[in-house]
Amino acid sequence: MKKISSSKLLLVFSTIGLLIYSAIYACGGDGDWGWTFDSNFTPETFVDKSYEPLFLSTDIFYGISFDREHTTRFNDEMIADWSTHLKGSVSEQDVKFFLIDSSAADVASLYSFLSTKKSNPTVAKWSKKINWKEKKVTDFIIFLKNAQALETVSVNNDYWSYEPQKTIVFTDTKVVKNIESKYNETADPFLKNRYWLLTIKANFYSKNKENADSFFYENGEFCSKKHLILSSFILLSWTRI
């Protein structure tokens, strides 16, 4: 029988040992696998389909994969809801402009007109398209002005980063209080629902973030299930409702 030298045996066993150690390190340590490959989380077993966007499956959103539509997912719904609410006083195309497109400059000019009654070129342009005598139209512009004020802190913040991020706070307490006052004063159910969501958002980005929680629990019965889901997204990203 041919004998294997001790040096060769040592080399073989060393190689095997190294392979075993590498496998253990990769699978059990903080290596290439990690916790994401150990998850068997399946939300569909205990919640209905409408909650799927709020759950993670491993390291990606369940049913969505990597979420790249957090600022656009509800655009069609918003346009349809507001168009129905405005009942033809503003065309669907113009509703889209105000809600989705870069309308901040126009909204500021229209809001100035509503506040001061002094006309300007923007008012002249839109007077051909919208009916200023309709209260729902003026309420829409006022709502947009309040909503867009929050965009100075809510847009383009990277809340998904693992790296420390500078916290940007909305410091205009007058606007925050005005938004909540609008919620309390508004009788129209549709508009009140939108101000409910906007009030939570305003408080969330303010220096008194805890007020978002207290307002939610004090007024949560007003919110529909759909907007309860939407509010979770809004606190993480941006959208106009």
Coordinates of all heavy atoms in Angstrom, one line a residue, residues 15-88:
T15 N -6.4 22.5 4.3 CA -7.3 23.0 3.3 C -8.7 22.8 3.6 O -9.6 23.7 3.5 CB -7.0 22.3 1.9 OG1 -5.6 22.5 1.6 CG2 -7.8 22.9 0.8
I16 N -9.1 21.6 4.1 CA -10.4 21.3 4.5 C -10.9 22.2 5.6 O -12.0 22.7 5.7 CB -10.6 19.8 4.9 CG1 -10.4 18.9 3.6 CG2 -12.0 19.5 5.5 CD1 -10.3 17.4 4.0
G17 N -10.0 22.3 6.6 CA -10.3 23.2 7.8 C -10.6 24.6 7.4 O -11.5 25.3 7.9
L18 N -9.8 25.1 6.4 CA -9.9 26.5 6.0 C -11.3 26.7 5.2 O -12.0 27.7 5.4 CB -8.8 26.8 5.0 CG -8.8 28.3 4.5 CD1 -8.7 29.3 5.6 CD2 -7.6 28.5 3.5
L19 N -11.6 25.7 4.4 CA -12.9 25.7 3.7 C -14.1 25.7 4.7 O -15.1 26.5 4.5 CB -13.0 24.6 2.7 CG -12.1 24.6 1.5 CD1 -12.2 23.3 0.7 CD2 -12.4 25.8 0.6
I20 N -14.0 24.9 5.7 CA -15.1 24.8 6.7 C -15.2 26.1 7.5 O -16.3 26.6 7.7 CB -14.9 23.6 7.7 CG1 -15.0 22.3 6.9 CG2 -15.9 23.7 8.8 CD1 -14.6 21.1 7.8
Y21 N -14.1 26.7 7.9 CA -14.1 27.9 8.6 C -14.7 29.0 7.7 O -15.5 29.9 8.2 CB -12.7 28.3 9.0 CG -12.6 29.7 9.6 CD1 -13.0 30.0 10.9 CD2 -12.1 30.8 8.8 CE1 -12.9 31.2 11.4 CE2 -12.1 32.1 9.4 CZ -12.5 32.3 10.7 OH -12.4 33.5 11.2
S22 N -14.3 29.1 6.4 CA -14.8 30.1 5.5 C -16.3 30.0 5.4 O -17.0 31.0 5.4 CB -14.2 30.0 4.2 OG -12.8 30.1 4.2
A23 N -16.8 28.8 5.3 CA -18.3 28.6 5.2 C -19.0 29.1 6.4 O -20.0 29.7 6.4 CB -18.6 27.1 4.9
I24 N -18.4 28.7 7.6 CA -19.1 29.1 8.9 C -19.0 30.6 9.0 O -20.0 31.2 9.4 CB -18.3 28.4 10.1 CG1 -18.6 26.9 10.0 CG2 -18.8 29.0 11.4 CD1 -17.8 26.1 11.1
Y25 N -17.9 31.2 8.7 CA -17.8 32.7 8.8 C -18.8 33.4 7.9 O -19.5 34.4 8.3 CB -16.4 33.1 8.5 CG -16.2 34.6 8.6 CD1 -16.0 35.2 9.8 CD2 -16.2 35.4 7.4 CE1 -15.8 36.6 9.9 CE2 -16.1 36.8 7.5 CZ -15.8 37.4 8.8 OH -15.7 38.7 8.9
A26 N -18.9 32.9 6.7 CA -19.8 33.6 5.7 C -21.3 33.4 6.1 O -22.1 34.3 6.0 CB -19.6 33.0 4.3
C27 N -21.7 32.2 6.6 CA -23.1 32.0 7.0 C -23.4 32.5 8.4 O -24.5 32.9 8.6 CB -23.4 30.5 6.8 SG -23.2 29.8 5.2
G28 N -22.5 32.3 9.3 CA -22.9 32.6 10.7 C -22.4 34.0 11.1 O -23.0 34.5 12.1
G29 N -21.4 34.5 10.5 CA -20.9 35.8 10.9 C -21.6 36.9 10.2 O -22.6 36.7 9.5
D30 N -21.0 38.1 10.3 CA -21.6 39.2 9.6 C -21.0 39.3 8.2 O -20.3 40.3 7.9 CB -21.3 40.5 10.5 CG -22.1 41.7 9.9 OD1 -23.0 41.5 9.1 OD2 -21.7 42.8 10.2
G31 N -21.2 38.3 7.4 CA -20.6 38.2 6.1 C -21.6 38.5 5.0 O -22.4 39.4 5.1
D32 N -21.5 37.7 4.0 CA -22.3 38.0 2.8 C -23.8 37.8 2.9 O -24.6 38.2 2.1 CB -21.7 37.2 1.6 CG -20.3 37.7 1.2 OD1 -19.9 38.8 1.5 OD2 -19.6 36.8 0.7
W33 N -24.1 36.9 3.9 CA -25.6 36.5 3.9 C -26.4 37.4 4.8 O -27.2 38.2 4.3 CB -25.6 35.1 4.5 CG -25.0 34.1 3.6 CD1 -23.6 33.7 3.5 CD2 -25.6 33.4 2.5 NE1 -23.4 32.8 2.5 CE2 -24.6 32.6 1.9 CE3 -26.9 33.3 1.9 CZ2 -24.8 31.8 0.8 CZ3 -27.1 32.5 0.9 CH2 -26.1 31.8 0.3
G34 N -26.1 37.4 6.1 CA -26.9 38.4 6.9 C -28.3 37.9 7.2 O -28.8 36.9 6.8
W35 N -29.0 38.8 8.0 CA -30.4 38.4 8.4 C -31.4 38.4 7.3 O -32.4 37.7 7.4 CB -30.8 39.4 9.5 CG -31.1 40.8 8.9 CD1 -30.2 41.8 8.9 CD2 -32.3 41.3 8.4 NE1 -30.8 42.9 8.3 CE2 -32.0 42.6 8.0 CE3 -33.6 40.8 8.2 CZ2 -33.0 43.4 7.4 CZ3 -34.6 41.6 7.6 CH2 -34.3 42.9 7.2
T36 N -31.1 39.0 6.2 CA -32.1 39.1 5.1 C -32.4 37.8 4.5 O -33.5 37.6 3.9 CB -31.7 40.1 4.1 OG1 -30.4 39.7 3.5 CG2 -31.5 41.5 4.6
F37 N -31.4 36.9 4.6 CA -31.6 35.6 3.9 C -32.3 34.6 4.9 O -32.5 33.4 4.6 CB -30.3 35.0 3.4 CG -29.8 35.7 2.2 CD1 -29.0 36.9 2.3 CD2 -30.1 35.3 0.9 CE1 -28.6 37.6 1.2 CE2 -29.7 36.0 -0.2 CZ -28.9 37.1 0.0
D38 N -32.5 35.0 6.1 CA -33.1 34.1 7.1 C -34.6 34.4 7.4 O -35.2 33.7 8.1 CB -32.4 34.3 8.5 CG -30.9 33.9 8.4 OD1 -30.6 33.0 7.6 OD2 -30.1 34.6 9.0
S39 N -35.1 35.4 6.7 CA -36.5 35.9 6.9 C -37.5 35.1 6.2 O -37.3 34.8 5.0 CB -36.6 37.4 6.6 OG -38.0 37.7 6.7
N40 N -38.5 34.6 6.8 CA -39.7 34.0 6.1 C -40.9 34.7 6.4 O -42.0 34.1 6.6 CB -39.8 32.5 6.5 CG -40.0 32.3 8.0 OD1 -40.0 33.3 8.8 ND2 -40.1 31.1 8.5
F41 N -40.8 36.0 6.5 CA -42.0 36.9 6.9 C -43.0 36.9 5.7 O -42.6 37.3 4.6 CB -41.4 38.3 7.2 CG -42.5 39.2 7.7 CD1 -43.3 38.9 8.7 CD2 -42.6 40.5 7.1 CE1 -44.3 39.8 9.2 CE2 -43.6 41.4 7.5 CZ -44.4 41.0 8.5
T42 N -44.2 36.6 6.0 CA -45.2 36.6 5.0 C -46.5 37.3 5.4 O -47.4 36.7 6.0 CB -45.6 35.2 4.6 OG1 -45.9 34.4 5.8 CG2 -44.4 34.5 3.9
P43 N -46.5 38.6 5.2 CA -47.7 39.4 5.8 C -49.0 39.0 5.3 O -50.0 39.2 5.9 CB -47.4 40.9 5.3 CG -45.9 40.8 5.0 CD -45.6 39.5 4.5
E44 N -49.1 38.4 4.1 CA -50.4 38.1 3.5 C -51.1 37.0 4.3 O -52.3 36.8 4.1 CB -50.2 37.6 2.1 CG -49.7 36.2 1.9 CD -48.2 36.1 2.0 OE1 -47.6 37.1 2.4 OE2 -47.6 35.0 1.6
T45 N -50.4 36.4 5.3 CA -51.1 35.3 6.1 C -52.0 35.9 7.2 O -52.8 35.2 7.7 CB -50.0 34.4 6.7 OG1 -49.2 35.2 7.6 CG2 -49.2 33.7 5.7
F46 N -51.8 37.2 7.5 CA -52.6 37.8 8.6 C -53.1 39.2 8.4 O -53.8 39.7 9.3 CB -51.7 37.7 9.9 CG -50.5 38.5 9.8 CD1 -50.4 39.9 10.2 CD2 -49.3 37.9 9.4 CE1 -49.2 40.6 10.1 CE2 -48.1 38.6 9.4 CZ -48.1 40.0 9.7
V47 N -52.8 39.8 7.2 CA -53.4 41.1 6.9 C -54.0 41.1 5.5 O -53.6 40.3 4.7 CB -52.4 42.2 7.1 CG1 -51.9 42.4 8.5 CG2 -51.2 42.0 6.1
D48 N -54.9 42.0 5.3 CA -55.5 42.1 3.9 C -54.5 42.8 3.0 O -53.5 43.5 3.4 CB -56.9 42.7 3.9 CG -56.8 44.1 4.3 OD1 -56.3 45.0 3.5 OD2 -57.4 44.5 5.4
K49 N -54.8 42.8 1.7 CA -53.8 43.2 0.6 C -53.5 44.7 0.8 O -52.4 45.1 0.4 CB -54.4 42.9 -0.7 CG -53.5 43.1 -1.9 CD -54.1 42.6 -3.2 CE -53.1 42.7 -4.3 NZ -51.9 41.9 -4.2
S50 N -54.4 45.5 1.3 CA -54.2 47.0 1.3 C -53.0 47.4 2.2 O -52.5 48.5 2.1 CB -55.5 47.7 1.8 OG -55.8 47.3 3.1
Y51 N -52.6 46.5 3.1 CA -51.5 46.8 4.0 C -50.1 46.4 3.5 O -49.1 46.7 4.1 CB -51.7 46.1 5.4 CG -52.8 46.8 6.2 CD1 -54.1 46.3 6.2 CD2 -52.5 47.9 7.0 CE1 -55.1 46.9 7.0 CE2 -53.5 48.5 7.8 CZ -54.7 48.0 7.8 OH -55.7 48.6 8.6
E52 N -50.1 45.8 2.3 CA -48.8 45.3 1.8 C -47.7 46.3 1.7 O -46.6 46.0 2.1 CB -49.0 44.6 0.4 CG -49.6 43.2 0.5 CD -49.7 42.5 -0.8 OE1 -49.2 43.2 -1.8 OE2 -50.2 41.4 -0.9
P53 N -48.0 47.6 1.3 CA -46.9 48.5 1.2 C -46.2 48.9 2.5 O -45.1 49.4 2.5 CB -47.6 49.8 0.6 CG -48.8 49.2 -0.1 CD -49.3 48.1 0.8
L54 N -46.8 48.5 3.6 CA -46.2 48.9 4.9 C -45.3 47.8 5.4 O -44.7 48.0 6.5 CB -47.3 49.1 5.9 CG -48.3 50.3 5.6 CD1 -49.3 50.5 6.7 CD2 -47.5 51.6 5.3
F55 N -45.2 46.7 4.8 CA -44.4 45.6 5.3 C -43.1 45.3 4.5 O -43.1 45.6 3.3 CB -45.2 44.3 5.3 CG -46.3 44.3 6.4 CD1 -47.6 44.6 6.0 CD2 -46.0 43.9 7.7 CE1 -48.6 44.6 7.0 CE2 -47.0 43.9 8.6 CZ -48.3 44.3 8.3
L56 N -42.1 44.8 5.2 CA -40.9 44.4 4.5 C -40.8 42.9 4.4 O -41.3 42.2 5.3 CB -39.7 44.9 5.4 CG -39.4 46.3 5.4 CD1 -38.3 46.6 6.4 CD2 -38.9 46.8 4.0
S57 N -40.3 42.4 3.3 CA -40.0 41.0 3.2 C -38.5 40.9 2.9 O -38.0 41.4 1.9 CB -40.8 40.4 2.0 OG -40.4 39.0 1.8
T58 N -37.8 40.4 3.9 CA -36.3 40.5 3.9 C -35.9 42.0 3.9 O -36.4 42.8 4.7 CB -35.6 39.7 2.8 OG1 -35.9 40.3 1.5 CG2 -36.1 38.3 2.8
D59 N -35.1 42.4 2.9 CA -34.6 43.8 3.0 C -35.3 44.7 2.0 O -34.9 45.8 1.7 CB -33.1 43.9 2.7 CG -32.7 43.3 1.4 OD1 -33.5 42.5 0.8 OD2 -31.6 43.6 0.9
I60 N -36.4 44.2 1.4 CA -37.2 45.0 0.4 C -38.6 45.0 0.8 O -39.1 44.2 1.6 CB -37.0 44.4 -1.0 CG1 -37.5 43.0 -1.1 CG2 -35.6 44.5 -1.5 CD1 -37.4 42.3 -2.4
F61 N -39.4 46.0 0.2 CA -40.8 46.1 0.5 C -41.6 44.9 -0.1 O -41.4 44.5 -1.3 CB -41.4 47.4 0.0 CG -41.1 48.5 0.9 CD1 -40.1 49.4 0.7 CD2 -41.9 48.7 2.1 CE1 -39.8 50.4 1.5 CE2 -41.6 49.7 2.9 CZ -40.5 50.6 2.7
Y62 N -42.5 44.4 0.7 CA -43.3 43.2 0.2 C -44.2 43.6 -0.9 O -45.0 44.5 -0.8 CB -44.1 42.7 1.4 CG -44.8 41.4 1.1 CD1 -44.1 40.2 1.2 CD2 -46.1 41.4 0.7 CE1 -44.7 39.0 0.9 CE2 -46.7 40.2 0.5 CZ -46.0 39.0 0.6 OH -46.6 37.8 0.3
G63 N -44.0 42.9 -2.0 CA -44.9 43.1 -3.2 C -44.5 44.3 -4.0 O -45.0 44.6 -5.1
I64 N -43.4 45.1 -3.6 CA -43.0 46.3 -4.3 C -41.6 46.1 -4.7 O -41.1 46.7 -5.7 CB -43.1 47.5 -3.4 CG1 -44.6 47.7 -3.0 CG2 -42.6 48.7 -4.1 CD1 -44.8 48.9 -2.1
S65 N -40.8 45.3 -4.0 CA -39.3 45.3 -4.2 C -38.7 46.6 -3.7 O -39.2 47.1 -2.7 CB -39.0 45.0 -5.7 OG -37.6 44.8 -5.8
F66 N -37.7 47.1 -4.3 CA -37.1 48.3 -3.8 C -38.1 49.5 -4.2 O -38.5 49.7 -5.3 CB -35.8 48.6 -4.5 CG -34.7 47.6 -4.0 CD1 -34.4 46.5 -4.8 CD2 -34.2 47.7 -2.7 CE1 -33.5 45.6 -4.4 CE2 -33.3 46.8 -2.3 CZ -32.9 45.7 -3.1
D67 N -38.5 50.2 -3.2 CA -39.5 51.3 -3.4 C -38.9 52.5 -4.0 O -38.2 53.3 -3.4 CB -40.1 51.6 -2.0 CG -41.3 52.5 -2.2 OD1 -41.9 52.6 -3.3 OD2 -41.7 53.2 -1.2
R68 N -39.3 52.7 -5.3 CA -38.8 53.9 -6.0 C -40.0 54.7 -6.4 O -39.8 55.6 -7.2 CB -38.0 53.4 -7.2 CG -36.8 52.5 -6.9 CD -35.9 52.2 -8.0 NE -35.0 51.2 -7.7 CZ -33.9 51.3 -6.9 NH1 -33.6 52.4 -6.3 NH2 -33.1 50.2 -6.8
E69 N -41.2 54.5 -5.9 CA -42.3 55.2 -6.3 C -43.0 55.9 -5.1 O -44.2 56.1 -5.2 CB -43.3 54.3 -7.0 CG -42.8 53.6 -8.3 CD -43.7 52.7 -9.0 OE1 -44.8 52.5 -8.4 OE2 -43.4 52.2 -10.0
H70 N -42.3 56.1 -4.0 CA -42.9 56.6 -2.8 C -43.5 58.0 -3.0 O -44.4 58.4 -2.2 CB -42.0 56.5 -1.6 CG -40.6 57.1 -1.9 ND1 -39.7 56.5 -2.6 CD2 -40.1 58.3 -1.5 CE1 -38.6 57.3 -2.7 NE2 -38.9 58.4 -2.0
T71 N -43.1 58.7 -4.0 CA -43.6 60.1 -4.2 C -44.6 60.1 -5.3 O -45.2 61.2 -5.5 CB -42.5 61.1 -4.5 OG1 -41.9 60.7 -5.7 CG2 -41.5 61.2 -3.3
T72 N -44.8 59.0 -5.9 CA -45.8 59.0 -7.1 C -46.9 58.0 -7.0 O -47.8 58.0 -7.8 CB -45.0 58.8 -8.4 OG1 -44.3 57.5 -8.4 CG2 -43.9 59.9 -8.6
R73 N -46.8 57.1 -6.1 CA -47.7 55.9 -6.0 C -49.2 56.3 -6.0 O -50.0 55.6 -6.6 CB -47.4 55.1 -4.8 CG -48.2 53.8 -4.7 CD -47.7 52.8 -3.7 NE -46.5 52.2 -4.2 CZ -45.3 52.5 -3.7 NH1 -45.2 53.3 -2.6 NH2 -44.2 51.9 -4.1
F74 N -49.5 57.4 -5.4 CA -50.9 57.7 -5.3 C -51.4 58.9 -6.1 O -52.4 59.5 -5.9 CB -51.3 58.0 -3.8 CG -50.9 56.9 -2.9 CD1 -49.8 56.9 -2.1 CD2 -51.7 55.8 -2.9 CE1 -49.5 55.9 -1.2 CE2 -51.4 54.7 -2.0 CZ -50.3 54.7 -1.2
N75 N -50.5 59.3 -7.1 CA -50.8 60.4 -8.0 C -52.2 60.3 -8.6 O -53.0 61.3 -8.6 CB -49.7 60.6 -9.0 CG -48.5 61.2 -8.4 OD1 -48.4 61.5 -7.3 ND2 -47.5 61.4 -9.3
D76 N -52.5 59.2 -9.3 CA -53.7 59.0 -10.0 C -54.9 59.1 -9.1 O -55.9 59.7 -9.4 CB -53.7 57.7 -10.7 CG -52.8 57.6 -11.9 OD1 -52.3 58.7 -12.3 OD2 -52.4 56.5 -12.3
E77 N -54.8 58.5 -7.9 CA -55.9 58.6 -6.9 C -56.1 60.1 -6.4 O -57.3 60.5 -6.3 CB -55.6 57.8 -5.7 CG -55.7 56.3 -5.9 CD -55.6 55.5 -4.6 OE1 -56.2 56.0 -3.6 OE2 -55.0 54.5 -4.5
M78 N -55.0 60.8 -6.2 CA -55.2 62.2 -5.7 C -55.9 63.0 -6.8 O -56.8 63.8 -6.5 CB -53.8 62.8 -5.4 CG -53.2 62.2 -4.1 SD -51.7 63.1 -3.7 CE -50.6 62.7 -5.0
I79 N -55.4 62.9 -8.0 CA -56.0 63.7 -9.1 C -57.5 63.3 -9.3 O -58.3 64.2 -9.4 CB -55.3 63.4 -10.4 CG1 -53.8 63.9 -10.4 CG2 -56.0 64.0 -11.6 CD1 -52.9 63.4 -11.5
A80 N -57.8 62.0 -9.2 CA -59.2 61.6 -9.4 C -60.1 62.1 -8.2 O -61.2 62.6 -8.4 CB -59.3 60.1 -9.5
D81 N -59.6 62.0 -7.0 CA -60.3 62.5 -5.8 C -60.6 64.0 -5.8 O -61.7 64.4 -5.6 CB -59.5 62.1 -4.5 CG -59.6 60.6 -4.2 OD1 -60.4 59.9 -4.9 OD2 -58.8 60.2 -3.3
W82 N -59.6 64.8 -6.1 CA -59.7 66.2 -6.1 C -60.6 66.7 -7.3 O -61.4 67.6 -7.2 CB -58.4 66.9 -6.2 CG -57.7 67.1 -4.9 CD1 -56.7 66.4 -4.3 CD2 -58.1 68.1 -3.9 NE1 -56.4 66.8 -3.1 CE2 -57.2 67.9 -2.8 CE3 -59.0 69.1 -3.8 CZ2 -57.3 68.6 -1.6 CZ3 -59.1 69.9 -2.7 CH2 -58.2 69.7 -1.6
S83 N -60.5 66.0 -8.5 CA -61.3 66.3 -9.6 C -62.8 66.1 -9.3 O -63.6 66.9 -9.7 CB -60.9 65.5 -10.9 OG -59.5 65.8 -11.2
T84 N -63.1 65.0 -8.7 CA -64.4 64.7 -8.3 C -64.9 65.7 -7.3 O -66.1 66.2 -7.4 CB -64.5 63.3 -7.7 OG1 -64.1 62.3 -8.6 CG2 -66.0 63.0 -7.2
H85 N -64.1 66.1 -6.3 CA -64.5 67.1 -5.3 C -64.8 68.4 -5.9 O -65.7 69.1 -5.5 CB -63.4 67.2 -4.3 CG -63.6 68.3 -3.3 ND1 -64.6 68.2 -2.3 CD2 -62.9 69.5 -3.1 CE1 -64.5 69.3 -1.6 NE2 -63.6 70.1 -2.0
L86 N -64.0 68.8 -6.9 CA -64.1 70.2 -7.5 C -65.2 70.2 -8.6 O -65.6 71.3 -9.0 CB -62.8 70.6 -8.1 CG -61.7 70.9 -7.1 CD1 -60.3 71.0 -7.8 CD2 -62.0 72.1 -6.3
K87 N -65.7 69.0 -8.9 CA -66.9 68.9 -9.8 C -66.9 69.8 -11.1 O -67.8 70.5 -11.4 CB -68.1 69.3 -9.0 CG -68.4 68.3 -7.9 CD -69.7 68.6 -7.1 CE -70.0 67.6 -6.0 NZ -71.2 67.9 -5.3
G88 N -65.8 69.7 -11.8 CA -65.7 70.5 -13.0 C -65.3 71.9 -12.9 O -65.1 72.6 -14.0

